[in-house]
Amino acid sequence: MIKHKRALGGALAVTVAIGIVAGALPAGAATAAPTARPTAAQPATTAQLRALMHRLTTADGAPGALLRTRDRHGTRVLTSGVADIDSHAPVARDSRFRIGSMTKPFVATVVLQLVGEHHVALDAPVTRYLPDLFRGHDNDDRKITVRQLLQHTSGLPDYLDVLNPAEILKDPLAHHDARDLVNLALAKPRTFEPGEGWRYSNTNYVIAGMLIEKVTGNPYGEEISRRIIKPLGLSQTSVPGDATAITGPHPRGYVRPGEGAPLTDLTELNPSIAGASGEMISSADDLNRFLGALVGGRLLRPAQLRAMMQTHPTGDNGREYGLGLERKELARCDGVYWGHGGDIFGYQTAGGATLHGRQATVMANVDPGGTDAQDDDMEAAVQTALCEGRTGRQAH
């Protein structure tokens, strides 16, 4: 959800003066060895993962981090650092956290289920379902399709390029209406003609949430719960709406206002600022089970799963974008995986699944404010976990 997260120092500096509780990283947290609880002798891959987790909570600047892997043989959890810089409490193995843009695969799945039920047509214009969406804006465009929303090929600007993070943080508990967020974006010229480029835009998924609500008559969160959360038994996953707290065990979520500044606690947040583009809460275990079910064909009919996995180049080597799902090359074992990343104030998440039945999710409880290497180390943790036990070229 967060745009240009490493460059937010100036904008976020106002938070120091607006009354959010701030604290410094405890002296022991930066050098503490990661905690992990596998019971057998540690294979080489586990040692590599422990080293990456340690980097996340030392060199990369996160107070705490968690990694959970899952395959047909069971699950494994590695943690590092602390969940709370004041109490020094360790990161709980069953932690819940804000997942940011990892919300998007949930939203896309519901839209594609509606496609499979013949309630929505992928290549129909969005205005078939939301006829007043573009009315009154200079970039009035009735050519944008549902597929283009889900694939970020609509050309719609990202409302987060318009919204100043400092304004959000002046009142982090404020409600933000989805239509107001969309209007912020529509007031700006589109970035390209629909279907003629690719650019990640959170606006697309706020509109996708509005589409779900229009077609079903229910809030999009209720449809996610009814169609995904309840059938899969994802007891640690929720669409919080205006609820500002995270229930259950969870690490505190931190931002760093500027280089060298103390961490600022932003665990309490009204996630309507992200809406259908990134408001959900989940756990690494639930995310792994969701991704495994999704790529394993348990949530979508074959035609819709194939549509989700038809990708578009993003301009980032080794990364292509489907419909709410990214395809990335597994450089460490010469295959591919399907997943997504997520950023929202306080938390960064990344996760993926292979077609071979293996999933991995990693979380760090600072965002923005980690180092430039934080993204790379989280990606490396996912890739290392997914490649464990695999050698040579794998089928895609």
Side-chain angles (χ1 to χ4, degrees), residues 17-28:
I18 63 177
I20 300 175
V21 178
L25 188 66

Side-chain angles (χ1 to χ4, degrees), residues 61-359:
L66 178 149
L67 171 71
R68 181 181 284 264
T69 64
R70 179 176 179 268
D71 60 19
R72 296 181 181 91
H73 304 292
T75 66
R76 175 180 52 183
V77 183
L78 302 176
T79 66
S80 182
V82 298
D84 185 320
I85 62 174
D86 294 323
S87 70
H88 301 184
V91 177
R93 292 158 56 86
D94 58 348
S95 290
R96 303 176 191 186
F97 42 86
R98 303 191 191 279
I99 65 172
S101 284
M102 285 191 79
T103 300
K104 290 180 172 70
F106 287 85
V107 172
T109 298
V110 171
V111 174
L112 287 167
Q113 287 179 347
L114 293 171
V115 171
E117 296 163 7
H118 307 292
H119 298 304
V120 172
L122 261 183
D123 294 309
V126 176
T127 50
R128 176 183 294 181
Y129 311 102
L130 298 167
D132 297 327
L133 181 65
F134 300 109
R135 192 165 295 165
H137 291 278
D138 292 339
N139 64 353
D140 184 357
D141 195 326
R142 297 177 183 272
K143 299 178 183 178
I144 293 172
T145 67
V146 176
R147 187 190 302 271
Q148 290 165 350
L149 284 184
L150 299 183
Q151 197 153 42
H152 297 298
T153 56
S154 70
L156 290 173
D158 193 334
Y159 73 90
L160 287 178
D161 289 338
V162 181
L163 197 60
N164 187 337
E167 294 302 312
I168 301 171
L169 295 175
K170 285 180 181 178
D171 188 1
L173 305 186
H175 169 78
H176 296 267
D177 184 75
R179 181 71 219 214
D180 291 341
L181 297 178
V182 172
N183 286 343
L184 285 173
L186 294 182
K188 299 295 182 181
R190 56 177 170 244
T191 55
F192 50 79
E193 291 296 315
E196 294 187 7
W198 186 91
R199 189 170 187 267
Y200 192 90
S201 174
N202 289 284
T203 307
N204 291 319
Y205 275 77
V206 175
I207 295 173
M210 295 166 63
L211 183 151
I212 292 170
E213 295 183 3
K214 182 70 171 184
V215 170
T216 66
N218 299 316
Y220 83 91
E222 288 187 12
E223 290 296 314
I224 289 176
S225 179
R226 181 174 72 85
R227 294 168 174 269
I228 302 174
I229 294 174
K230 290 180 180 177
L232 294 181
L234 306 181
S235 60
Q236 298 168 328
T237 301
S238 62
V239 185
D242 284 321
T244 61
I246 302 174
T247 61
H250 61 276
R252 308 300 295 176
Y254 297 96
V255 301
R256 193 182 299 280
E259 186 175 354
L263 292 170
T264 299
D265 188 332
L266 205 64
T267 311
E268 300 289 321
L269 175 73
N270 188 323
S272 64
I273 186 59
S277 75
E279 77 167 274
M280 289 179 66
I281 292 168
S282 190
S283 68
D285 185 43
D286 275 8
L287 288 173
N288 284 343
R289 287 192 285 147
F290 164 67
L291 289 170
L294 180 58
V295 304
R298 293 174 52 197
L299 291 172
L300 293 175
R301 299 176 184 182
Q304 281 69 58
L305 184 57
R306 286 194 299 271
M308 178 177 258
M309 291 182 167
Q310 290 174 352
T311 59
H312 191 288
T314 66
D316 184 356
N317 188 34
R319 173 178 174 244
E320 297 181 352
Y321 203 93
L323 305 185
L325 199 62
E326 292 185 337
R327 178 187 185 273
K328 290 188 178 181
E329 294 181 2
L330 278 169
R332 295 169 180 260
C333 58
D334 214 11
V336 302
Y337 77 93
W338 298 90
H340 215 284
D343 300 282
I344 191 167
F345 291 115
Y347 303 90
Q348 182 177 7
T349 310
T354 71
L355 299 181
H356 305 277
R358 190 169 185 85
Q359 304 96 44

